[in-house]
Amino acid sequence: AWTELGECLYKKDNDSKFAVTCFENALKQDATYAPALCGLSITLRRISQGLTDAKRHKEELDRALDLAERAV
């Protein structure tokens, strides 16, 4: 249910911060759940696009890439 809520928040409400929380909650229940890993990766990439701090931008992109790799 957490993953589905995260997807709804990301797609419809554009609430990326709460979507991250939802995906992280899903991963607490199953750290290998691919849909939650993908959703969190996509959301972090969106968040990173709005960052002006280059270091934080790279950190979020690196985290997103790691999550995407774990999903496959």
Side-chain angles (χ1 to χ4, degrees):
W2 282 114
T3 301
E4 289 79 12
L5 179 58
E7 288 174 359
C8 287
L9 291 166
Y10 172 80
K11 292 178 183 176
K12 296 188 189 253
D13 294 337
N14 199 22
D15 189 348
S16 297
K17 290 182 182 183
F18 190 47
V20 166
T21 300
C22 292
F23 292 125
E24 289 174 339
N25 284 334
L27 292 169
K28 286 178 186 175
Q29 294 176 2
D30 181 357
T32 63
Y33 188 53
L37 290 166
C38 288
L40 183 54
S41 175
I42 292 167
T43 305
L44 290 175
R45 282 195 316 253
R46 174 185 276 181
I47 290 171
S48 74
Q49 291 173 348
L51 297 175
T52 56
D53 179 357
K55 181 180 176 186
R56 182 142 182 260
H57 175 80
K58 183 177 180 339
E59 289 170 353
E60 293 297 334
L61 283 179
D62 288 344
R63 184 175 173 210
L65 178 60
D66 177 62
L67 291 163
E69 289 173 347
R70 288 175 40 202
V72 290

